[in-house]
Amino acid sequence: RNFSDSKQKVDSVSDAQILCLQIMNYIDTHVYSLQYLQELAPRFNYNYGYLSGLFKKTTGKSLLDYFHHRKMETAKALILENKKKIKEIAEMLHYSPYAFSKAFKAKYCVSPKALQMRR
């Protein structure tokens, strides 16, 4: 095997890409406790506007879109587990029940209740 190509790829990862991966990891691991994306600024020692712009430029997605995507993916997994009520899941992810249902339906084209009943 020739591993010289893989080392070259590792060396070509930019500081911006590393920071974006760290932000994604932080969001993924703090999906229940993170209420506002502005909370990322002190955690990473950067202005929120800078982090948001860098994330968009580096990943092609907005930071807000990524955050909402992760919350909805988490919600979907919890609904499919069928161990918690939808209202509890909404609260865990810092949504009102109405806003949660609306966001979930916009993402998956099915209401949380309908998905839960399919199980």
Side-chain angles (χ1 to χ4, degrees), residues 43-107:
R43 169 67 179 92
F44 290 96
N45 297 316
Y46 286 102
N47 174 292
Y48 173 73
Y50 173 79
L51 289 176
S52 180
L54 180 76
F55 194 89
K56 175 75 172 176
K57 182 179 173 186
T58 305
T59 67
K61 297 179 187 176
S62 77
L63 197 48
L64 186 61
D65 286 345
Y66 182 79
F67 184 47
H68 285 227
H69 170 75
R70 294 307 303 152
K71 286 170 69 167
M72 289 295 108
E73 287 291 311
T74 301
K76 183 178 176 184
L78 290 170
I79 290 168
L80 292 174
E81 275 184 0
N82 208 18
K83 293 182 181 178
K84 296 198 179 297
K85 295 178 182 178
I86 292 171
K87 182 181 176 184
E88 293 173 319
I89 295 168
E91 290 171 358
M92 288 170 62
L93 295 169
H94 309 285
Y95 283 100
S96 72
Y98 173 77
F100 174 70
S101 183
K102 187 175 177 180
F104 193 89
K105 191 168 185 176
K107 172 89 173 159

Side-chain angles (χ1 to χ4, degrees), residues 8-18 21:
Q8 188 176 21
K9 289 178 187 173
V10 172
D11 291 342
S12 67
V13 175
S14 71
D15 290 341
Q17 290 169 320
I18 292 169
L21 288 171

